Amino acid sequence: MENLLLAAARRPAQLEAFGRLLDVLNRLRQECPWDKKQTLESLRHLTIEETYEISDAILRQDLPDLRKELGDVMLHLVFYARIAAEQGAFDIADVLNAQCDKLIYRHPHIYGDAQADDEDAVKRNWEQLKLKEKGNTGGVLGGVPTSLPALVKAMRIQEKARGAGFDWEDPAQVWQKVQEELAEFGAEYGHGQPATDAAQAERAAQEFGDLLFSLVNFARFAGINPEEALERTNRKFINRFQYLESAAARAGQPLASLTLAQMDVYWEEAKRQAPIAPAA
């Protein structure tokens, strides 16, 4: 109840800030040479970059930076709506009202008399209602953007299939599938030996894709976000490799002159350093 009261108390300031953003953008669109030139297409790659910066701030648990990055993306969203309004298509009010209508429609357990006692039930209702919406002709998987990175796309495909009731019954089945795919990949790749021809290389690539897909599936059952897990490992590797570089430099040894055994000594030193924070 206290949080609701606090949110209500902040509402005037929130609405004023949003109106201020609209006013600032309107003036920039009219007077700034750069802002006047922007189109839906020219902003697209910038928005993608800003979205990744939001993700990076979240992984680093950097709330001050997250506030800044959210502001950048909010500007882009308002900018798109402003350009669309200039073309007579829609404005920001249309965008927000349509979103509210969609949320209300897809939450019948809140705004209607449907039952949804857990997260899985909510997701199933969401996907079923989405399929019923006019214009959704792509089926269950039609809403998965084709341009998503492959790892994220695999997650979304599996989540949507689950919402339609197509899923494994327990994690043990998924783990068995991982083992099967690993064996099939090993068989095609020659258990550690390079492919001998293009056909074998293609089969190995296909089996590797199947293995990754099954690992993503198991991660979902284990409550692990594979994209975040891989990014944390990327960061861990970077930190340890940078320690290796620094240690070699302090010893006056060019990195390229070290043997793998010498590098491994520094690598083990890096691993013994203070644990790396999950999002560091």
Side-chain angles (χ1 to χ4, degrees), residues 248-279:
R250 287 194 298 270
Q253 298 172 299
L255 190 61
S257 70
L258 298 180
T259 66
L260 284 177
Q262 291 172 315
M263 289 184 183
D264 193 55
V265 171
Y266 291 130
W267 187 265
E268 291 300 320
E269 286 181 9
K271 290 170 63 176
R272 290 195 294 270
Q273 299 302 306
I276 299 171

Side-chain angles (χ1 to χ4, degrees), residues 81-111:
R82 168 60 195 253
I83 294 172
E86 294 169 359
Q87 298 175 1
F90 56 82
D91 66 10
I92 192 65
D94 298 319
V95 171
L96 298 179
N97 282 322
Q99 183 63 27
C100 290
D101 291 341
K102 181 172 71 174
L103 288 173
I104 291 170
Y105 174 73
R106 294 191 187 173
H107 287 78
H109 55 290
I110 303 296
Y111 294 97

